Amino acid sequence: MKSVLKVNGMEGGYGNVQILNGIDLYVNQGEFVTIIGPNGCGKSTFLKALFGLATLHNGKVLHNDVNVSGWRTDRLVGRGIGYVPQVENVFPSLSVHENLQMGGIKLRNKELASGVTRAFKMFPDLEPRMNDLAASLSGGERQMLAISRALISNPTFLMLDEPTAALSPKYQQEILANIDDLRKEGISVLLVEQNARLSLSRSDRGYIFAGGKVVYTGKAKEILNDPNIGDYFLGLHQ
């Protein structure tokens, strides 16, 4: 099976501060892969390093067999890579529609209109709020908008950092279901998620990070069904 993303020996962090200590990871075409692990283990830093927002000290990142190590964010977007950060992922002073337009700022009008239509089809709650400021949206609606904006540029590989954080169970289920459905459109997904059980239940494979390293990887079902892993990482007693 073809790998969309392959990372070998990634070391990185912020400036001279190293947080990632030799990450090996891959995502195959059409896969949904989840990264879990305790707070501060490097999950978010890993996504930022992939997307040119953190410092890559060492290692190699391949996207569809092309070495994109250390590329700028705009070049990565041009290759079909999208990223949804956990926080500050919308422009609060702009309307919902203007946020979507910002996601497709380099697209032709017809392509942009098609992307907006797709966003409202995926998240119908956004359409009645089209002219409202993003600042007025609920947490769940903001996440829907952030994901929609990332999809406007038609990525084939999407990374998301804790898209269900602090959301109601209803919005958590809805957002994860929509992310899962992206695979039907040929989009591969790499997700960092605190709600490990919910995300892994929809994933093909999972990675567990600790101390800036991969300490376990396997099929998502195996991770969910392993009591030793579950008790520590999946929040089974919550």
Side-chain angles (χ1 to χ4, degrees):
M1 188 176 293
K2 179 177 174 59
S3 292
V4 174
L5 177 78
K6 183 175 286 187
V7 180
N8 297 116
M10 178 185 279
E11 298 177 357
Y14 303 99
N16 294 324
V17 178
Q18 183 163 318
I19 296 172
L20 307 173
N21 300 298
I23 301 289
D24 295 326
L25 180 148
Y26 70 91
V27 179
N28 286 330
Q29 176 65 47
E31 274 195 315
F32 186 151
V33 176
T34 291
I35 301 171
I36 65 173
N39 290 333
C41 68
K43 305 185 299 295
S44 295
T45 302
F46 176 69
L47 293 191
K48 289 177 181 177
L50 288 175
F51 202 60
L53 300 174
T55 307
L56 182 64
H57 295 154
N58 203 359
K60 184 181 290 186
V61 179
L62 300 178
H63 175 247
N64 288 331
D65 298 325
V66 173
N67 189 340
V68 297
S69 307
W71 278 27
R72 296 191 318 268
T73 295
D74 59 330
R75 293 186 69 194
L76 296 173
V77 171
R79 278 195 59 82
I81 299 175
Y83 168 64
V84 181
Q86 180 184 357
V87 296
E88 298 180 353
N89 52 20
V90 299
F91 297 105
S93 62
L94 299 182
S95 70
V96 167
H97 191 246
E98 288 168 337
N99 267 273
L100 294 175
Q101 288 177 316
M102 290 296 291
I105 197 166
K106 294 185 177 181
L107 299 180
R108 297 175 181 175
N109 289 340
K110 186 176 181 180
E111 294 172 325
L112 177 59
S114 176
V116 172
T117 299
R118 172 197 193 190
F120 291 151
K121 183 178 180 181
M122 177 178 293
F123 296 115
D125 288 355
L126 290 180
E127 189 166 11
R129 308 295 306 274
M130 180 170 63
N131 296 316
D132 295 343
L133 294 182
S136 70
L137 301 180
S138 69
E141 289 167 339
R142 284 195 183 200
Q143 283 299 96
M144 291 175 180
L145 178 56
I147 294 168
S148 297
R149 196 181 70 193
L151 292 173
I152 290 287
S153 60
N154 294 314
T156 55
F157 176 58
L158 183 64
M159 302 182 290
L160 304 102
D161 191 358
E162 299 194 19
T164 71
L167 300 186
S168 68
K170 172 183 177 291
Y171 274 133
Q172 288 180 353
Q173 293 283 354
E174 183 175 351
I175 285 174
L176 262 296
N178 276 284
I179 292 170
D180 193 8
D181 283 344
L182 293 175
R183 294 192 287 173
K184 298 175 184 177
E185 302 180 32
I187 300 174
S188 308
V189 176
L190 178 62
L191 181 74
V192 164
E193 183 54 66
Q194 283 290 342
N195 193 331
R197 176 163 291 281
L198 179 62
S199 184
L200 286 170
S201 67
R202 292 183 174 276
S203 300
D204 298 296
R205 293 183 300 109
Y207 287 84
I208 300 176
F209 281 22
K213 298 180 179 180
V214 174
V215 295
Y216 187 88
T217 182
K219 293 181 179 179
K221 288 183 178 179
E222 294 174 353
I223 296 174
L224 283 170
N225 294 328
D226 188 319
N228 295 317
I229 295 174
D231 285 347
Y232 188 71
F233 288 106
L234 303 187
L236 300 185
H237 304 305
Q238 293 180 357

